[in-house]
Structures are given as C-alpha cells and as structure tokens.
Amino acid sequence: MSRPEPLPRPLHPTLLRLDDLAARLAADDHVQAVLGLGSAGEETQRFDEHSDIDVFVVVDSATVKQRYLQDPGWLAGFGGHVAFSFVNDPNGRKALFEDGLFVEYAVFTPDELAALPVVGARVVWSRDGRDLLTREPPPSPTALDTVDFHVNEALTNLYVGLHRELRGERLTAMRFIQVYAVDRVLALVRLDPAARLEHPDRFESTRRIEQADPPRHRPGHHPGDPTAAGPPRPHLSTCLSVGA
C-alpha cells in the first residue's frame, strides 16, 4: 500500500502579501504575470520571519515597464508603507516597508523574461493562466566552471593574497584570501556529486553552506584510487585552513 502524499505546507503569513500584490496588479490589463523567486518561489517551505520577497512583474510592453519602474506606487499592493527604496538594477528596485518587509523586484516584458536564466521561480498569478516560464534546464557549465579551474584559482588567490599581505596591503589581501579563495572552494562543494547541500543556490554559493555536508576530498580524486585522473589535488579542508 503506497503512502499518501504529504500535504503541502501553508504559506507563511508574510508571503501571503505577495498574493495580495498579485490580486491588485491583476486589475491592470497590461500586467501579464507575477512571479516569486528564491524562498518566495518554488521553495516556499524555506520562507520564515527573516526572509525577504523577491518578485518579477511581467508586463506586455517596454512602455508599461518604464511606467512601473518610474512610479513604484503599485507597491502599496503589499500593504503598508514604503520607508526606503532605491534603484539597484536597470530593471528594478529594492524597497523596505515601515513594518520590516524587505522586497526586491524587477519588471520585464515576456521576451526579456524568456532570455533570462530563471531557476526555481513560482507563478503566483498569470493572466489567463498562462505559464511564461520556460522549462528548459539551465545552461550547461562553461569551461571555467570546472574542478581544475576552481582549485587552481583558489590556490593562486591565496598566493596573491599572501604577497599583498606581506606588502602591507591588508584589505585587498583579506579579500583575496578570505573571500575570493573561499568562493572557489565553495564552488568545488557544489560541483561534487557526493556533497550534500539542500536547496543549493545557483547564483550565490555561500547560501545555506552551514547546513552542507561537504566531501572530505576534492571532486574526482580519492587517495589510493589508481583510476583517479591526474595528480592529487589539495583537500578542500586544506584550502579552507590556509584561507583562515
């Protein structure tokens, strides 16, 4: 006897404000869809009291897009009042409400949306029920998203950073050693199929890394395995220790 499917968790009360916004925007015939991203996207179970709301608004023309970008009054659809807002991207803004709600939004036409590598988005509302999201998989990794690249880049980041520290350039040294090199090590965790990382973020490798269970050795190399290709590389723990 098969087990029944678990019931979906109800949306967090704050996340319901995105539905309120969509209901308000639906009154404008030029709005085609409202999409949630991040923890407001497909992974709504991650949304909690510390989450912000990432949203895409899809409109039917570039003229309407400019109207929505220039006049953010429609944000009132979330409820409450905007205390602080600024342009952070040619396509959108960030906004902080008086009650603490933080929103990051962008406005696109359907053609612009189709050209974006959108991952994990959720259709909160769309006109006539149309799904504007393409279901094609993300582009395959480029030649620079490889184990060799990230290992070698991490090691040279450490080398350059240590020399800048010796020169007395402490700020840039800190960034090379504690930021750039660590980012490359985190990329190795993402590339290793043996690493267990729940809800990996394709665009920000540091997200939820505290809950990751990284492998003890670099991807593709196991000490004592004669079939492993190439010479031994430094362990991930070695790179992290040197960075520290």
Side-chain angles (χ1 to χ4, degrees):
M1 182 177 180
S2 61
R3 293 184 177 181
E5 290 288 333
L7 295 175
R9 291 177 55 184
L11 292 180
H12 191 280
T14 300
L15 193 51
L16 292 175
R17 295 170 69 170
L18 183 52
D19 293 81
D20 295 337
L21 174 74
R24 179 170 179 140
L25 294 181
D28 184 349
D29 292 338
H30 295 288
V31 177
Q32 303 300 304
V34 175
L35 311 178
L37 296 96
S39 57
E42 293 179 341
E43 300 174 357
T44 55
Q45 71 278 5
R46 293 197 289 107
F47 197 95
D48 59 21
E49 64 272 18
H50 304 295
S51 299
D52 52 62
I53 294 181
D54 298 317
V55 58
F56 284 176
V57 177
V58 186
V59 297
D60 61 6
S61 70
T63 300
V64 176
K65 170 179 177 173
Q66 290 306 312
R67 171 163 62 85
Y68 269 81
L69 291 177
Q70 293 169 11
D71 181 10
W74 53 273
L75 289 173
F78 278 112
H81 301 282
V82 175
F84 172 69
S85 175
F86 73 99
V87 176
N88 76 306
D89 182 270
N91 300 299
R93 288 174 172 257
K94 292 182 178 180
L96 178 65
F97 285 70
E98 288 180 348
D99 60 6
L101 174 66
F102 185 60
V103 174
E104 184 171 354
Y105 69 87
V107 184
F108 297 106
T109 65
D111 288 343
E112 290 173 333
L113 181 68
L116 295 176
V118 180
V119 178
R122 175 175 64 95
V123 179
V124 179
W125 169 86
S126 69
R127 191 165 301 281
D128 303 326
R130 286 176 291 180
D131 189 350
L132 298 176
L133 294 173
T134 60
R135 296 303 177 183
E136 297 180 3
S140 58
T142 65
L144 294 182
D145 190 26
T146 64
V147 171
D148 280 346
F149 169 77
H150 293 300
V151 168
N152 293 326
E153 189 72 9
L155 293 175
T156 52
N157 287 158
L158 295 176
Y159 182 82
V160 171
L162 291 171
H163 273 283
R164 292 189 179 182
E165 173 72 20
L166 293 172
R167 188 187 290 136
E169 299 180 51
R170 303 190 65 183
L171 179 57
T172 184
M174 180 277 293
R175 291 175 64 82
F176 267 82
I177 296 170
Q178 299 187 40
V179 180
Y180 304 147
V182 171
D183 283 345
R184 301 282 67 79
V185 173
L186 295 180
L188 292 175
V189 175
R190 173 178 54 80
L191 287 177
D192 195 324
R196 291 185 291 275
L197 177 60
E198 292 187 8
H199 310 300
D201 191 317
R202 180 167 173 257
F203 304 103
E204 175 50 79
S205 60
T206 61
R207 295 298 307 276
R208 296 173 289 281
I209 194 66
E210 293 82 3
Q211 287 79 48
D213 183 14
R216 295 183 180 180
H217 312 291
R218 77 162 182 91
H221 174 71
H222 303 279
D225 180 2
T227 64
R233 302 297 209 294
H235 294 178
L236 301 186
S237 57
T238 303
C239 291
L240 285 171
S241 298
V242 175

